[in-house]
């Protein structure tokens, strides 16, 4: 490891020297060398981070240098993140630099930067930290929009990162507020790439697990779209179908009776879920999600009926109290007797 550390210090020293004299060409060459080393030798990644490579690489993500330098810097950070996530995450300003790189016009740098975020989110403890960076979340969502379409790799990297963000429940409301639901359903409805649709529905399933998502889903007919995907042949792959069922389940669990009512209001939705639960070719995961969803729908509908009946009973009891002609049996006898006396 002493050899690795010495090599890492040498590489970082070249980058530091080139940056100090503002030699763009030498800086780009040093960054490219760091990228190659971090790719070819996994054992040098942590020493590179320990030697201080991360801040210098982060500064190159959006520096006024060549496009190749930004791409190489993002790729080197991705390589380093695979072995030294803690050192990467602790570098000052790293998340802000990644957000700016994702927003930049450089496609290659953007998708590598999104992949870095996805890599960091493999650590549970980092999810709330990343979720607190709204600029970073917004940048990731922007990669899903048609106006920012950057190819399959950038979109998939953004979806992987957003999935990691949404695994932390308290991040979901922020994603909904930033427009992720409309962006995700836009991909589901218009993108023909199988892998993209599968990944998009996986993120939809996670985002659905917060109460704030219900209105956002309603605005894009999300329940109808998911129900259509659950139907046999509605989705291109079994995984997308399972993800749709999982999304409906999470929506119902988070949205309560209102969500149950919206699912049941979609014609054929309950039947489609039942077919998935009874489909012998479906995966155990898909069948389990469908069975849990059926149970949640039945319990939610039964609970709504009971509450409706109780409200109706309370309404009648209110009439008894407020209207003397809706009275107790004893009072009714008294009124009847009084009537006889008057009439007699």
């Amino acid at each position: 490891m002493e050899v690795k550390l010495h090599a890492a210090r040498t590489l970082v020293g070249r980058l530091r020297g080139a940056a100090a004299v503002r030699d763009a060409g030498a800086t780009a060459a040093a960054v490219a060398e760091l990228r190659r080393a971090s790719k070819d030798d996994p054992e040098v990644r942590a020493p590179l981070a320990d030697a201080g490579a991360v801040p210098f690489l982060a500064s190159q993500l959006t520096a006024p240098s060549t496009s190749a330098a930004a791409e190489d810097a993002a790729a080197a950070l991705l390589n380093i993140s695979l072995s030294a996530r803690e050192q990467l995450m602790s570098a000052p300003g790293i998340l802000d630099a990644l957000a700016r790189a994702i927003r930049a016009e450089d496609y290659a740098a953007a998708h590598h930067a999104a992949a870095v975020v996805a890599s960091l989110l493999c650590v549970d403890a980092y999810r709330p930290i990343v979720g607190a960076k709204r600029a970073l979340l917004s940048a990731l969502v922007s990669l899903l929009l048609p106006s920012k379409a950057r190819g399959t790799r950038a979109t998939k990297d953004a979806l992987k990162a957003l999935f990691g963000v949404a695994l932390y429940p308290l991040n979901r409301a922020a994603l909904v507020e930033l427009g992720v639901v409309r962006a995700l359903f836009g991909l589901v409805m218009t993108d023909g790439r199988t892998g993209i649709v599968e990944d998009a529905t996986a993120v939809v399933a996670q985002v659905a697990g917060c109460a704030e998502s219900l209105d956002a889903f309603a605005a894009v007919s999300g329940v109808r779209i998911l129900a259509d995907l659950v139907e046999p042949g509605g989705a291109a792959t079994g995984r997308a179908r399972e993800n749709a069922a999982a999304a409906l389940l999470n929506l119902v669990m988070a949205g309560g009776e209102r969500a149950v009512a919206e699912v049941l209001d979609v014609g054929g939705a309950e039947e489609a879920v039942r077919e998935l639960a009874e489909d012998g070719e479906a995966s155990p995961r898909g069948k389990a999600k469908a069975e849990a969803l059926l149970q949640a729908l039945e319990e939610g509908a039964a609970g709504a009926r009971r509450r409706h009946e109780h409200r109706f009973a309370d309404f009648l009891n209110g009439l008894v109290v407020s209207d003397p002609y809706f009275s107790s049996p004893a009072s009714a006898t008294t009124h009847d007797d009084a009537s006889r006396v008057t009439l007699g």
Side-chain angles (χ1 to χ4, degrees):
M1 289 307 296
E2 275 298 322
V3 174
K4 301 294 182 183
L5 184 57
H6 176 74
R9 287 172 177 166
T10 300
L11 290 169
V12 175
R14 291 174 188 168
L15 176 56
R16 181 184 290 111
V21 297
R22 298 183 180 180
D23 186 333
T27 299
V31 171
E33 193 172 4
L34 273 171
R35 177 182 183 177
R36 285 192 298 272
S38 61
K39 177 183 178 182
D40 297 338
D41 186 0
E43 292 184 356
V44 83
R45 294 167 183 167
L48 282 172
D50 292 336
V54 174
F56 285 101
L57 291 171
S59 69
Q60 294 302 309
L61 291 178
T62 55
S65 57
T66 66
S67 175
E71 178 186 350
D72 288 339
L77 287 171
L78 175 58
N79 295 335
I80 291 171
S81 75
L82 301 177
S83 303
R85 292 188 176 97
E86 184 176 356
Q87 294 97 314
L88 192 69
M89 192 67 178
S90 62
I94 184 63
L95 296 181
D96 295 330
L98 291 171
R100 290 193 296 271
I102 292 170
R103 288 281 192 186
E105 295 302 319
D106 188 332
Y107 156 74
H111 92 71
H112 284 309
V116 173
V117 179
S119 176
L120 292 173
L121 289 166
C122 291
V123 180
D124 294 355
Y126 298 160
R127 291 169 187 163
I129 300 172
V130 173
K133 291 288 186 177
R134 291 181 67 86
L136 179 55
L137 301 187
S138 178
L140 290 170
V141 173
S142 74
L143 283 182
L144 309 184
L145 302 177
S147 60
K148 293 290 185 180
R150 311 230 179 144
T152 302
R153 290 187 66 181
T155 305
K156 286 183 72 68
D157 288 332
L159 288 170
K160 289 177 183 177
L162 289 168
F163 182 83
V165 171
L167 285 175
Y168 184 65
L170 297 183
N171 288 340
R172 295 166 187 167
L175 290 175
V176 171
E177 185 179 341
L178 291 170
V180 76
V181 172
R182 183 173 295 277
L184 289 168
F185 277 103
L187 285 176
V188 172
M189 294 301 293
T190 63
D191 200 300
R193 295 168 290 182
T194 298
I196 295 296
V197 174
E198 288 182 344
D199 289 349
T201 52
V203 183
V204 167
Q206 291 301 317
V207 174
C210 70
E212 292 82 357
S213 67
L214 193 54
D215 287 335
F217 275 55
V220 295
S221 301
V223 173
R224 161 59 70 184
I225 294 170
L226 292 172
D228 288 345
L229 290 174
V230 173
E231 289 183 356
T237 66
R239 183 180 167 220
R241 186 185 185 196
E242 295 165 11
N243 289 342
L248 289 174
L249 174 60
N250 290 343
L251 192 69
V252 165
M253 298 302 291
E257 286 184 11
R258 179 187 161 195
V260 169
E262 292 197 10
V263 174
L264 294 176
D265 283 345
V266 175
E270 189 173 7
E271 291 77 6
V273 176
R274 195 174 304 280
E275 287 187 46
L276 175 57
E278 298 172 354
D279 189 343
E281 297 183 359
S283 71
R285 173 182 178 268
K287 291 169 68 69
K289 294 295 184 183
E291 290 166 359
L293 178 55
L294 282 175
Q295 182 177 353
L297 291 174
E298 291 168 0
E299 292 177 353
R305 284 194 299 270
R306 286 194 298 271
R307 273 179 278 279
H308 175 73
E309 291 167 359
H310 289 160
R311 284 194 295 268
F312 185 65
D314 291 342
F315 170 73
L316 292 179
N317 289 336
L319 289 178
V320 169
V321 172
S322 62
D323 192 330
Y325 293 100
F326 288 84
S327 55
S328 65
S331 298
T333 302
T334 303
H335 282 300
D336 187 48
D337 292 342
S339 298
R340 287 199 202 96
V341 170
T342 303
L343 290 175

